[in-house]
Structure formats: structure tokens, C-alpha cells
């Protein structure tokens, strides 16, 4: 596939050779994509295996503590059992993320696109998000610069998954005494832009272009928080399936803002 077929002339044989050269290029690109995909799959399996070891090791340690009598009071046993339960939940989240990514990657998940009123949809979302963040001791703000009757085309369930994944990241990687998360909606001619901002650890300039890759692993301080690293990759796939774009802006120790767009439902009669 590395042999380049150089051809001059306009006869049928030259045209055939040019077709072969075009086919060679496509085959080489396909082979290179497969090698890259295989490499990413191996990295992904390695990352998931590494992330599963942490809660498994903790569960084993606490179970042994109960079996060996280290947890010798009802209060201590209760604390051990709660920790085991939380670690099992962490494992469940990792496995569910991997399963979901596999389905999205294979186009198995059917999307149920609807015309959604962006105002009422986000009002329900922010009520739930605000209550969750309040329990975690974080400040939450919401600004909406969209008209009252703006409609977008989206799958409500998958859109909520995107929002929750971004919010969870904002909480997970926030090391401030008073964490902050803000959602801002902005209306444009044909799109609605959603911006989710936090005041967390931030991402370096070197890492920022790679955060939506499925095998992305940031520095160890971020990895120590746990997680498969698939969250933003899943968000990217879902938003692209919606015909939108997703990107990020960030500054170390100052926070990160994730932006994504959704397509508005355009009234064709008004355009005419």
C-alpha cells in the first residue's frame, strides 16, 4: 500500500492506473484507521481495567476488615458496609458507561428525536440539577437568553445524558472550597448554544484538544478522581448525532466551560 503509481497520459490504461492509485490511497487510509482503532481499543480496555481495580481493592479490604473483626462496633460495621456499597456503585457506573459507549459506537441506540421547547426542558433540568448540587454544597446559577417559544430538535433522554455527564465532570474535578457550576443558554439564528461552566481544576492547553477522545487520560491529579474517561467522548457522539457541535474552553486552576449546540426548529413559512 506504500507503492505510489505515478501515471501520465489520457488513454484508457492511464485512467485505469489512476483508479488503482485512488483505490490504493483509500485502502491505506482504511488500514491506518483500523490500526489506530485497535490501538485505542487496547488503551480503553487497559484504562477500564485500571479504574475497576481501585473499587475492587477497596471492597476486598473492607470485607476482610469485617471478616477479621476489625470493624468491631455496629457504627464501624455500618460505615464499612456503606463504603462497600458506594464502591460497588462506582463499578456499576464504569460498566454502564462502557456498555453505553459500545452501543453508541455501534449505532445500536435508536434516537427518538422530538421538537422540544428549550425553555421548559431546561427548567425541569435545572430544578433537578440545582437540588443535587445543593446537596453537594456547590453553588448553581442558570441564565437563559432564549425566546419563550424556541424549539430544538433533540432526543430528550440522550440530551439529559449529555448534561448530566458534563455536570458530573464539573463536580468530580472541582477542588475549590466552594464549587460553582453555571448553565447559560444563548439563542442564535439557527442554533441554541448551551454553555456549562465550572470553577474547578481546569485543563492545560496541551490536554484541551484531546478531552473528547475516548482514550483521553488527563494528568494523574484528574485520574485520581476516578471514572473511565468516556463521559465527554459519549457527549461528543450524542451531540454530533444531533447535528450539533461540542467544544471546550479552559484555564488551569480557574475552571472549564463546555459548549454544545442544538439545531433550532425553523418555521419555513416565516423564511419564505
Amino acid at each position: 500500500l506504500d507503492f505510489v503509481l505515478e501515471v501520465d497520459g489520457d488513454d484508457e490504461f492511464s485512467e485505469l492506473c489512476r483508479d488503482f492509485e485512488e483505490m490504493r490511497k483509500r485502502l491505506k487510509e482504511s488500514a491506518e484507521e483500523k490500526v489506530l482503532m485497535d490501538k485505542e481499543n487496547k488503551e480503553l480496555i487497559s484504562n477500564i481495567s485500571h479504574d475497576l481495580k481501585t473499587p475492587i481493592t477497596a471492597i476486598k479490604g473492607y470485607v476482610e476488615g469485617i471478616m477479621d473483626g476489625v470493624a468491631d462496633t455496629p457504627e464501624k460495621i455500618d460505615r464499612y458496609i456503606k463504603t462497600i456499597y458506594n464502591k460497588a456503585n462506582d463499578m456499576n457506573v464504569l460498566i454502564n458507561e462502557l456498555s453505553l459507549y459500545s452501543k453508541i459506537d455501534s449505532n445500536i441506540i435508536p434516537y427518538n428525536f422530538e421538537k422540544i421547547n428549550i425553555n421548559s426542558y431546561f427548567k425541569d433540568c435545572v430544578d433537578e440539577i440545582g437540588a443535587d448540587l445543593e446537596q453537594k454544597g456547590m453553588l448553581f446559577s442558570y441564565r437563559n437568553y432564549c425566546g419563550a417559544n424556541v424549539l430544538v430538535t433533540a432526543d430528550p433522554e440522550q440530551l439529559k445524558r449529555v448534561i448530566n455527564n458534563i455536570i458530573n465532570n464539573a463536580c468530580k474535578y472541582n477542588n475549590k472550597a466552594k464549587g460553582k457550576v453555571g448553565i447559560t443558554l444563548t439563542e442564535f439564528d439557527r442554533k441554541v448554544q448551551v454553555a456549562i461552566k465550572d470553577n474547578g481544576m481546569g485543563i492545560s492547553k496541551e490536554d484541551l484538544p484531546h478531552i473528547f477522545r475516548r482514550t483521553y487520560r488527563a494528568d494523574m491529579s484528574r485520574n485520581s478522581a476516578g471514572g473511565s474517561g468516556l463521559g465527554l467522548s459519549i457527549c461528543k457522539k450524542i451531540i454530533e448525532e444531533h447535528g450539533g457541535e461540542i467544544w471546550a474552553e479552559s484555564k488551569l486552576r480557574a475552571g472549564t466551560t463546555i459548549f454544545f449546540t442544538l439545531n433550532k426548529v425553523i418555521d419555513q413559512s416565516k423564511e419564505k
Side-chain angles (χ1 to χ4, degrees), residues 193-261:
Q193 177 184 285
V194 181
I196 302 178
K197 183 177 183 179
D198 66 61
N199 68 335
M201 298 163 63
I203 303 163
S204 69
K205 287 183 180 178
E206 294 76 18
D207 285 325
L208 195 59
H210 309 294
I211 63 171
F212 295 103
R213 282 176 38 219
R214 62 177 176 171
T215 54
Y216 166 73
R217 305 286 284 182
D219 58 66
M220 288 307 294
S221 62
R222 288 176 68 86
N223 286 342
S224 62
S228 65
L230 285 173
L232 288 180
S233 180
I234 289 170
C235 292
K236 184 175 187 290
K237 281 189 167 288
I238 292 173
I239 292 301
E240 287 178 348
E241 290 291 330
H242 279 67
E245 298 175 277
I246 186 167
W247 68 98
E249 294 177 1
S250 187
K251 189 175 180 182
L252 275 176
R253 293 177 292 279
T256 301
T257 305
I258 305 289
F259 300 88
F260 64 87
T261 61

Side-chain angles (χ1 to χ4, degrees), residues 137-150:
M138 298 184 73
L139 298 175
F140 177 65
S141 63
Y142 173 60
R143 294 181 179 86
N144 184 353
Y145 300 109
C146 294
N149 299 312
V150 174

Side-chain angles (χ1 to χ4, degrees), residues 38-267:
D38 288 344
K39 182 184 176 184
E40 287 190 347
N41 282 336
K42 286 176 182 176
E43 285 182 28
L44 183 62
I45 292 168
S46 175
N47 291 347
I48 292 290
S49 299
H50 175 270
D51 288 335
L52 283 173
K53 280 181 183 176
T54 304
I56 287 173
T57 302
I59 288 170
K60 285 177 66 179
Y62 282 103
V63 169
E64 286 171 3
I66 293 172
M67 291 170 65
D68 295 343
V70 175
D72 51 3
T73 65
E75 293 80 13
K76 208 169 184 180
I77 290 172
D78 186 56
R79 192 169 76 248
Y80 274 38
I81 289 172
K82 283 180 180 176
T83 304
I84 291 167
Y85 177 78
N86 289 335
K87 296 297 179 184
N89 277 341
D90 290 344
M91 289 174 61
N92 196 47
V93 168
L94 286 168
I95 292 164
N96 285 342
E97 265 193 355
L98 183 61
S99 175
L100 174 66
Y101 186 91
S102 175
K103 288 177 181 176
I104 291 175
D105 204 29
S106 305
N107 296 317
I108 294 173
I109 294 180
Y111 285 90
N112 300 308
F113 291 105
E114 301 175 15
K115 293 178 181 179
I116 297 172
N117 182 297
I118 198 75
N119 291 282
S120 57
Y121 182 84
F122 267 86
K123 185 182 182 304
D124 292 339
C125 276
V126 298
D127 286 346
E128 185 180 326
I129 290 166
D132 289 343
L133 291 176
E134 187 180 347
Q135 284 187 339
K136 294 175 181 177
M138 298 184 73
L139 298 175
F140 177 65
S141 63
Y142 173 60
R143 294 181 179 86
N144 184 353
Y145 300 109
C146 294
N149 299 312
V150 174
L151 300 178
V152 296
T153 304
D155 179 322
E157 185 180 342
Q158 298 304 331
L159 179 56
K160 189 173 183 183
R161 192 185 301 281
V162 169
I163 297 164
N164 285 340
N165 277 0
I166 297 171
I167 295 289
N168 288 339
N169 264 12
C171 296
K172 189 186 296 181
Y173 301 124
N174 199 308
N175 57 352
K176 302 290 171 64
K178 200 67 180 177
K180 296 179 182 178
V181 175
I183 297 179
T184 303
L185 304 184
T186 309
E187 181 183 354
F188 294 94
D189 286 344
R190 293 181 172 273
K191 295 179 183 294
V192 168
Q193 177 184 285
V194 181
I196 302 178
K197 183 177 183 179
D198 66 61
N199 68 335
M201 298 163 63
I203 303 163
S204 69
K205 287 183 180 178
E206 294 76 18
D207 285 325
L208 195 59
H210 309 294
I211 63 171
F212 295 103
R213 282 176 38 219
R214 62 177 176 171
T215 54
Y216 166 73
R217 305 286 284 182
D219 58 66
M220 288 307 294
S221 62
R222 288 176 68 86
N223 286 342
S224 62
S228 65
L230 285 173
L232 288 180
S233 180
I234 289 170
C235 292
K236 184 175 187 290
K237 281 189 167 288
I238 292 173
I239 292 301
E240 287 178 348
E241 290 291 330
H242 279 67
E245 298 175 277
I246 186 167
W247 68 98
E249 294 177 1
S250 187
K251 189 175 180 182
L252 275 176
R253 293 177 292 279
T256 301
T257 305
I258 305 289
F259 300 88
F260 64 87
T261 61
L262 298 167
N263 293 324
K264 286 168 62 175
V265 177
I266 306 298
D267 189 335

